[in-house]
């Protein structure tokens, strides 16, 4: 969006809003979504984390943040739920070359490690053990980097979102939120339960994000929605969690609808499981894979975008507060279709998150 003059350094935010044409064409040298604001002027800051070290199937998610930024200029700024939402400002933090370089280097090592295990090698092999330890230390470093960036912006009063990368990337964000909130729930939109313990030998695997999140005592509840690919060990963890993990499986949702239940009533039951403060963790493979065919581990089934947004709007209407959010596992592919879908989702989600805080 835009058609906005770029000599705006000395303009106040109010002056920029007055001069900005929200119905215009996106300008690539404006901010994200073509908005005219500096990062300091944006009330919501997105932290890009181009990291995909432990992905277990398809790659490309490290390209997600850049592709989403590029696609954002095609997003119209009218939001049917939040009036004049664009005026609050959404901006993306600088892409970290260090994060990307470490990810690329370690991804190659992780692929060799996984291939060796698939061919019968032992995790105790000296070379493999060294590789695993190196990857673990790098993941710890990445988590700390994310935590530091999140706290940096939260301490400025910003609403923060994270854009992956694979689904391992938001653990540092949840650690940061644990320093700000004594209790909160995680609402996970996903095809996978992500409750595996050290999947493929990696403690901080993308398939272990929620297993690791549950180690944080501040996370009082994990509410999972759309799960349709999981192992028996994960199901046992859910069933033995004493209600700390509540899962709305994709199969159960669809079967309920087949016999006459409605998505509206199902959403009411999901909302009733949530406490006041909610962190949204959204793996794009929670959607129908026609909307994200290039994501790393697509699974048949899933949601339309408006189904998810309908649920989020209900949460906002309920008076609950989204404290932050992430969107992960976007791999743009050759056509960048997935990034197009993601950019539109991020705009709507960021607006809803901000609306819940007012």
């Amino acid at each position: 969006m835009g058609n906005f003059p770029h000599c705006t350094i000395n303009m106040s935010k109010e002056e920029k809003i007055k001069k900005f044409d929200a119905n215009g064409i996106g300008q690539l040298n404006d901010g994200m979504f073509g908005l005219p604001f500096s990062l300091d002027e944006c009330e919501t800051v997105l932290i890009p984390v181009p990291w995909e070290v432990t992905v277990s199937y398809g790659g490309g998610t490290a390209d997600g943040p850049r592709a989403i930024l590029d696609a954002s200029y095609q997003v119209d700024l009218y939001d049917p739920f939040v009036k004049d939402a664009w005026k609050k400002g959404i901006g993306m933090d600088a892409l970290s070359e260090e994060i990307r370089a470490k990810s690329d280097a370690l991804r190659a090592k992780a692929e060799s490690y996984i291939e060796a295990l698939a061919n019968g090698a032992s995790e105790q092999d000296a070379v493999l053990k060294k590789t695993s330890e190196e990857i673990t230390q790098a993941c710890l470093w990445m988590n700390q980097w994310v935590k530091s960036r999140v706290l940096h912006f939260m301490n400025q009063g910003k609403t923060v979102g994270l854009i992956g990368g694979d689904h391992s990337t938001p653990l540092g964000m949840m650690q940061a939120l644990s320093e700000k909130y004594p209790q909160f729930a995680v609402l996970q939109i996903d095809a996978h339960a992500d409750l595996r313990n050290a999947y493929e030998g990696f403690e901080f695997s993308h398939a272990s994000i929620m297993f690791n999140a549950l180690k944080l005592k501040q996370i009082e509840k994990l509410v999972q929605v759309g799960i349709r690919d999981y192992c028996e060990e994960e199901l046992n963890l859910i069933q033995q969690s004493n209600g700390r993990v509540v899962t709305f499986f994709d199969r159960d949702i669809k079967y309920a609808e087949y016999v006459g239940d409605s998505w509206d009533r199902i959403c009411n039951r999901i909302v009733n499981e949530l406490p006041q403060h909610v962190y949204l963790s959204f793996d794009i493979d929670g959607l129908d894979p026609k909307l994200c065919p290039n994501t790393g581990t697509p699974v048949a089934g899933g949601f339309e975008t408006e189904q998810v947004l309908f649920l989020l709007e209900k949460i906002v209407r309920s008076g609950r507060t989204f404290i932050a959010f992430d969107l992960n596992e976007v791999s743009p592919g050759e056509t960048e279709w997935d990034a197009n879908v993601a950019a539109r989702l991020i705009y709507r989600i960021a607006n809803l998150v901000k609306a819940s805080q007012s």
Side-chain angles (χ1 to χ4, degrees):
M1 302 299 102
N3 285 340
F4 192 77
H6 305 293
C7 50
T8 61
I9 294 175
N10 296 320
M11 284 188 188
S12 67
K13 184 176 181 181
E14 291 72 22
E15 289 173 319
K16 291 178 182 179
I17 289 172
K18 288 179 181 178
K19 290 182 176 292
F20 183 68
D21 177 10
N23 301 300
I25 299 171
Q27 301 293 319
L28 296 181
N29 49 345
D30 283 336
M32 191 171 189
F33 299 110
L35 294 171
F37 311 123
S38 68
L39 202 60
D40 286 342
E41 292 168 329
C42 291
E43 295 187 24
T44 298
V45 174
L46 305 174
I47 299 173
V49 189
W51 181 273
E52 58 172 355
V53 173
T54 65
V55 293
S56 51
Y57 191 51
T61 59
D63 296 324
R66 168 59 68 183
I68 290 168
L69 174 63
D70 291 344
S72 76
Y73 299 103
Q74 304 302 317
V75 176
D76 275 309
L77 298 179
Y78 177 77
D79 189 308
F81 190 84
V82 185
K83 181 177 173 56
D84 292 335
W86 66 269
K87 293 180 180 179
K88 295 183 180 296
I90 304 169
M92 183 180 281
D93 192 19
L95 281 155
S96 169
E97 294 181 5
E98 186 178 16
I99 288 279
R100 182 59 192 263
K102 282 183 178 289
S103 176
D104 289 347
L106 290 170
R107 175 65 190 145
K109 292 186 178 183
E111 287 176 341
S112 297
Y113 177 93
I114 293 169
E115 183 179 0
L117 292 183
N119 290 326
S122 169
E123 292 180 18
Q124 300 306 313
D125 175 89
V127 174
L128 293 185
K129 197 170 183 180
K130 183 178 179 181
T131 298
S132 177
E133 290 171 354
E134 181 183 5
I135 290 172
T136 295
Q137 289 303 309
C139 289
L140 287 167
W141 171 83
M142 183 271 293
N143 291 338
Q144 183 57 44
W145 182 91
V146 169
K147 178 181 177 181
S148 176
R149 289 310 285 167
V150 171
L151 289 173
H152 170 75
F153 289 112
M154 288 188 74
N155 289 336
Q156 295 177 23
K158 307 290 188 184
T159 297
V160 183
L162 181 146
I163 309 299
D166 69 42
H167 206 172
S168 73
T169 53
L171 183 60
M173 188 174 205
M174 289 184 256
Q175 292 169 341
L177 292 170
S178 295
E179 293 190 4
K180 296 290 186 177
Y181 295 90
Q183 284 189 314
F184 62 96
V186 175
L187 173 63
Q188 177 191 2
I189 310 294
D190 208 323
H192 306 88
D194 290 345
L195 290 168
R196 294 176 182 267
N197 183 4
Y199 187 56
E200 295 179 325
F202 299 130
E203 179 181 356
F204 297 103
S205 167
H206 70 122
S208 302
I209 178 64
M210 296 306 163
F211 183 90
N212 291 323
L214 289 172
K215 296 175 184 177
L216 300 170
K217 68 180 188 302
Q218 293 86 351
I219 295 178
E220 59 182 300
K221 202 168 197 178
L222 169 62
V223 179
Q224 304 177 303
V225 182
I227 309 302
R228 55 193 187 275
D229 198 23
Y230 53 96
C231 68
E232 188 172 359
E233 181 182 20
E234 291 175 297
L235 180 61
N236 290 338
L237 189 155
I238 293 166
Q239 293 174 337
Q240 296 166 13
S241 70
N242 294 318
R244 191 180 181 208
V245 182
V246 177
T247 306
F248 291 83
F249 294 99
D250 187 67
R251 178 182 187 273
D252 294 341
I253 290 170
K254 288 183 169 58
Y255 274 49
E257 290 176 322
Y258 296 156
V259 298
D261 207 347
S262 70
W263 181 231
D264 180 55
R265 289 193 294 268
I266 294 167
C267 286
N268 288 338
R269 296 197 285 275
I270 296 169
V271 173
N272 287 338
E273 292 290 345
L274 297 170
Q276 179 60 39
H277 292 126
V278 182
Y279 172 73
L280 173 64
S281 189
F282 193 163
D283 186 324
I284 203 167
D285 69 26
L287 299 177
D288 185 312
K290 71 174 181 285
L291 298 168
C292 52
N294 297 293
T295 191
T297 46
V299 183
F303 297 115
E304 298 293 332
T305 56
E306 285 300 335
Q307 283 179 283
V308 176
L309 292 167
F310 180 86
L311 170 60
L312 302 185
E313 288 176 9
K314 266 191 168 290
I315 294 170
V316 175
R317 287 192 179 102
S318 77
R320 289 166 174 80
T321 303
F322 284 112
I323 57 176
F325 69 95
D326 68 64
L327 181 68
N328 285 279
E329 301 288 352
V330 177
S331 181
E334 292 183 5
T335 65
E336 299 198 349
W337 163 247
D338 303 52
N340 181 297
V341 172
R344 284 164 167 75
L345 267 174
I346 288 167
Y347 184 67
R348 295 280 300 279
I349 290 170
N351 294 341
L352 286 167
V353 169
K354 196 66 189 173
S356 78
Q357 298 174 356
S358 59

